[in-house]
Amino acid sequence: MKKRRMTKRKRKRKIQLYTRMGIGLLVLILVGLSIMKIFRFGVFSSEAKYVEEVGKEIDKNKPDIDVQLLTPNMYSRPGTNTQKIKGIVIHYTANPGSTAVQNRNYFEGLKDSHQTKASSHFVVGIKGEIVQCVPTWEEAYASNTRNKDTISIETCHKNSDGKYTRQTYKSMVQLTAWLCKKFDLTEKDVIRHYDITGKNCPKYFVEDEKAWKKFKQDVRNAMN
């Protein structure tokens, strides 16, 4: 029995139907992609997950760190996960003569005083001691719009000019270099709080651009 041939009219209708279905499907895909882009999820998500490098090469460059994590609270340790770390931010305490532990304890006290929201991942003291306040996989209240993808380092200083002691400077270089290796960064990814907000922080490195450039070069040398 021979099959009946499709008439030109039917063939045209079928082509039109498939064309409409194809256009409809394409529109749905485009709308879906637009929604994903607006709300930044799926393939358009800007939140790359936190990751860190591990291994003996990283561990052997780790400086001595006194881990004194803050109590989880909404004023200094909110517990918000960081994204992929893209930078190391240098700050200064603006509190001449204070120690690393004193600054750490100030952050801790904010859970009770509710005075403001502030903290840092690390504080480097006048004698070169390093105190860790917040895990690197959690945000600290330090770098404004860059809290989510940076590690913050507060630095202590003896005088109001913000200049560092030799011990502080050495620990700053070691800690920054280690963090750069840990997060697969270079000295180009080391920035000042000033570079984010225009704030005079860290004072010494903002007011002496040559000193800032030297610090970054020293970090590079320490990494090598």
Side-chain angles (χ1 to χ4, degrees):
M1 186 177 185
K2 293 184 178 179
K3 291 183 179 180
R4 295 176 63 183
R5 282 189 169 186
M6 187 181 294
T7 65
K8 289 183 178 180
R9 194 176 206 177
K10 287 184 178 180
R11 188 181 299 113
K12 186 177 181 181
R13 285 181 180 178
K14 197 169 186 179
I15 292 172
Q16 289 176 338
L17 176 63
Y18 288 153
T19 301
R20 288 171 186 165
M21 288 174 64
I23 292 173
L25 182 60
L26 181 60
V27 169
L28 285 174
I29 292 172
L30 291 174
V31 170
L33 289 172
S34 298
I35 293 172
M36 290 168 70
K37 187 173 183 179
I38 292 170
F39 293 98
R40 296 189 179 278
F41 65 88
V43 294
F44 292 103
S45 175
S46 61
E47 297 188 6
K49 290 184 178 180
Y50 174 93
V51 63
E52 59 181 58
E53 302 293 323
V54 296
K56 292 181 180 179
E57 185 66 26
I58 306 296
D59 293 341
K60 77 176 185 179
N61 290 294
K62 182 179 180 180
D64 291 331
I65 298 174
D66 181 9
V67 180
Q68 296 190 36
L69 299 182
L70 304 176
T71 304
N73 71 93
M74 291 307 299
Y75 290 86
S76 55
R77 187 186 167 189
T80 309
N81 292 335
T82 48
Q83 299 173 8
K84 177 179 173 61
I85 300 302
K86 298 178 181 177
I88 311 298
V89 186
I90 307 298
H91 304 254
Y92 90 129
T93 64
N95 188 12
S98 62
T99 66
V101 170
Q102 286 172 336
N103 282 280
R104 179 265 172 204
N105 290 343
Y106 167 73
F107 295 145
E108 176 70 14
L110 293 176
K111 75 181 190 300
D112 303 312
S113 70
H114 301 177
Q115 182 180 354
T116 187
K117 290 183 177 181
S119 58
S120 183
H121 291 96
F122 300 91
V123 185
V124 181
I126 293 173
K127 295 181 179 180
E129 71 277 20
I130 301 172
V131 175
Q132 183 172 6
C133 309
V134 179
T136 54
W137 53 85
E138 292 182 17
E139 286 187 23
Y141 286 135
S143 304
N144 304 79
T145 57
R146 295 298 304 278
N147 286 338
K148 61 186 178 182
D149 67 353
T150 59
I151 300 300
S152 55
I153 302 176
E154 282 282 355
T155 54
C156 297
H157 47 98
K158 277 189 172 183
N159 304 308
S160 59
D161 61 5
K163 190 172 183 177
Y164 302 111
T165 65
R166 185 168 55 183
Q167 298 98 312
T168 302
Y169 187 85
K170 181 180 179 181
S171 291
M172 287 168 61
V173 170
Q174 290 178 328
L175 176 60
T176 305
W178 173 66
L179 288 171
C180 282
K181 284 198 167 188
K182 188 177 180 68
F183 296 105
D184 194 24
L185 304 173
T186 72
E187 79 284 354
K188 294 179 182 179
D189 302 304
V190 180
I191 61 176
R192 302 162 293 189
H193 193 187
Y194 166 81
D195 298 313
I196 302 171
T197 65
K199 182 179 179 179
N200 192 18
C201 174
K203 180 179 172 70
Y204 182 64
F205 284 153
V206 173
E207 297 179 356
D208 190 336
E209 195 69 31
K210 288 183 179 179
W212 173 241
K213 289 180 180 178
K214 183 179 185 305
F215 173 75
K216 294 181 75 171
Q217 183 62 50
D218 288 341
V219 169
R220 180 180 180 179
N221 294 339
M223 289 177 66
N224 294 332

